[in-house]
Amino acid sequence: MENSSLVPVNPSEAVPSLSQGIILKGSGVFVSSGHVGADEKGNIVVSSFEDQLMAVFESIDRTLRAGGLGFEHVARVTYYITDLEPSLMDIIRKVRRRYLRAEIPPASVLIGISALPDPGARIEVEVIAVVP
């Protein structure tokens, strides 16, 4: 059964059976799937936590752009992190400053978890954005 109030958003390189994001038509809301730090071939970036997080934000950027949006539209960010330790906060802040507006930062949630489905993934991030 098709739901015309849900509009899937997928960059051209997205996995075919999964919507990377959904626009709730008429509501002004975009919600993303969880994004992990994978390279263009779909392999998890394992060189460093910072590199993996950069890959996550680049993936989110491609999905937002596919929906006609940008990081300036993001209202909330949720981080799921394995092996959460205080030193990771500095890296998260450093990377997010490259993408998110400092003058109006989105609401954020950080959740420490035991594992992600891909054993190489240390972080998964999802966003909620406002559709103008």
Side-chain angles (χ1 to χ4, degrees), residues 15-107:
V15 178
S17 63
L18 173 70
S19 293
Q20 296 298 304
I22 294 283
I23 293 175
L24 288 71
K25 201 168 165 185
S27 72
V29 176
F30 164 91
V31 294
S32 79
S33 293
H35 286 67
V36 294
D39 63 19
E40 58 280 344
K41 294 179 182 176
N43 300 314
I44 298 295
V45 174
V46 295
S47 50
S48 71
F49 180 79
E50 183 173 345
D51 290 344
Q52 191 173 114
L53 186 55
M54 288 286 295
V56 168
F57 272 89
E58 286 299 315
S59 177
I60 292 169
D61 183 50
R62 287 189 296 276
T63 301
L64 287 168
R65 283 188 283 116
L69 303 167
F71 278 105
E72 69 274 14
H73 299 104
V74 172
R76 179 178 166 136
V77 181
T78 304
Y79 303 88
Y80 302 93
I81 302 175
T82 64
D83 304 318
L84 181 58
E85 53 190 70
S87 64
L88 295 178
M89 291 308 301
D90 290 335
I91 296 169
I92 292 168
R93 287 183 191 106
K94 177 182 173 184
V95 171
R96 71 181 267 142
R97 276 193 297 267
R98 296 177 188 169
Y99 296 90
L100 300 168
R101 298 182 308 164
E103 66 276 6
I104 307 175

